[in-house]
Amino acid sequence: LPKAGNYYLNYNKIWIFDKLMGSKRINNLHAFSGIKYFTVMGKKTEYNYKKLGVGTKKNKTEIITLGSPSYENLLNLNDTFTNANKLLFLKKLGVQSKRRVFTFFLSLSSFTNLQIEELDQIFKCIVKEVKGVWLVVKLHPKTGIVDINKIKFLLENLKANFTVINEFHGEIWNAKLVLSSECLVQKQSTTGYLAFIYKIPVLSYNIYNTNYYDNLYDILGGSIHSQNIEEFKKNLKLLSNTKILKKL
């Protein structure tokens, strides 16, 4: 039976018949299949697998911690992605020149009415307070068409200049979008880590309690954080405050 360390795992009972009838199916459960290398996201995960017996004499699989996503490959992009590259990148997205680009990375695959309402409040505030703004909204690839249309409706209703993207183009593309933005507006997405790396300011918010990692950026620090829409309105002006940006 499938085993990890000294413990039997939960398994599909049909495997018993495979064994009895002579199929001798390989146990392909992650690192327990005898593969040479196994990659994990963090040191804690590596520790747990080793505790279960991976990497021992019986299972010589080597565990390699890569992190997720593997941002190490993007550390030097800031040195090679020039201002001319940024202008061309934005032009391909349909963003008009000399616009203040505010980018959202939204990690949700579906949105509740409250989450849509929260976005509406944030969109309204930015469009009203920031002259010449262009909103770029990068959605999760799994976001459904109904929610995509709801978000587009909000932006159209505000007569905002905007670009909505829901395809996944890879981490390098995401990094280029971050570098091409004046700031990132974030609630949950870990793409904000890229902004931290590149020293692009992050405006974070937690206007409503949506029960989905609402306080992520408040806990992390490193962003201009708002707990209500009035605070968010005031914080928009801090993007021109060099002392605040240096502190971030």
Side-chain angles (χ1 to χ4, degrees), residues 106-157:
L106 302 177
S107 58
L108 297 162
S109 55
S110 62
F111 292 78
T112 65
N113 290 335
L114 187 61
Q115 287 163 340
I116 291 291
E117 171 63 23
E118 186 174 47
L119 273 176
D120 190 33
Q121 293 291 318
I122 296 296
F123 288 157
K124 281 179 181 175
C125 189
I126 295 174
V127 171
K128 184 178 179 181
E129 299 296 326
V130 183
K131 291 183 179 180
V133 71
W134 193 290
L135 300 179
V136 177
V137 181
K138 175 66 178 70
L139 296 165
H140 193 282
K142 292 183 179 179
T143 304
I145 190 65
V146 172
D147 288 319
I148 293 172
N149 288 336
K150 283 181 181 178
I151 290 167
K152 285 182 177 178
F153 176 79
L154 294 179
L155 295 163
E156 288 166 356
N157 197 42

Side-chain angles (χ1 to χ4, degrees), residues 2 30 65 78 105 136 173 193 196 215 244 248:
H30 293 294
T65 302
N78 195 21
F105 279 88
V136 177
W173 188 93
Y193 290 140
F196 294 162
N215 288 319
I244 294 292
L248 286 179

Side-chain angles (χ1 to χ4, degrees), residues 4-189:
N6 295 318
Y7 299 95
Y8 289 106
L9 305 174
N10 290 325
Y11 59 92
N12 188 331
K13 301 301 184 287
I14 199 71
W15 289 1
I16 295 175
F17 291 97
D18 284 340
K19 299 295 182 183
L20 291 174
M21 300 305 291
S23 179
K24 299 183 184 294
R25 178 169 294 180
I26 296 171
N27 174 9
N28 284 319
L29 285 176
H30 293 294
F32 304 107
S33 58
I35 54 178
K36 190 172 182 180
Y37 301 107
F38 183 65
T39 59
V40 295
M41 290 188 267
K43 287 293 182 183
K44 183 65 177 176
T45 313
E46 179 182 342
Y47 169 80
N48 287 335
Y49 272 108
K50 285 181 176 177
K51 194 173 181 181
L52 286 169
V54 179
T56 62
K57 290 181 180 180
K58 290 183 179 179
N59 184 332
K60 295 182 180 180
T61 296
E62 183 180 346
I63 304 175
I64 302 168
T65 302
L66 288 182
S68 178
S70 186
Y71 285 161
E72 291 87 350
N73 296 326
L74 307 174
L75 294 178
N76 298 323
L77 184 63
N78 195 21
D79 299 326
T80 58
F81 195 59
T82 64
N83 287 331
N85 294 143
K86 293 171 188 176
L87 290 172
L88 183 60
F89 181 84
L90 291 173
K91 186 178 180 180
K92 288 180 179 179
L93 290 179
V95 179
Q96 295 173 5
S97 60
K98 297 182 181 179
R99 293 286 183 169
R100 299 181 66 182
V101 178
F102 282 44
T103 297
F104 291 73
F105 279 88
L106 302 177
S107 58
L108 297 162
S109 55
S110 62
F111 292 78
T112 65
N113 290 335
L114 187 61
Q115 287 163 340
I116 291 291
E117 171 63 23
E118 186 174 47
L119 273 176
D120 190 33
Q121 293 291 318
I122 296 296
F123 288 157
K124 281 179 181 175
C125 189
I126 295 174
V127 171
K128 184 178 179 181
E129 299 296 326
V130 183
K131 291 183 179 180
V133 71
W134 193 290
L135 300 179
V136 177
V137 181
K138 175 66 178 70
L139 296 165
H140 193 282
K142 292 183 179 179
T143 304
I145 190 65
V146 172
D147 288 319
I148 293 172
N149 288 336
K150 283 181 181 178
I151 290 167
K152 285 182 177 178
F153 176 79
L154 294 179
L155 295 163
E156 288 166 356
N157 197 42
L158 291 171
K159 294 182 172 58
N161 294 303
F162 70 92
T163 300
V164 173
I165 306 147
N166 69 298
E167 302 88 1
F168 179 65
H169 298 289
E171 296 297 346
I172 293 175
W173 188 93
N174 285 345
K176 289 179 178 179
L177 178 54
V178 171
L179 284 168
S180 303
S181 306
E182 179 177 332
C183 76
L184 257 64
V185 189
Q186 292 295 140
K187 182 157 186 175
Q188 298 103 351
S189 174

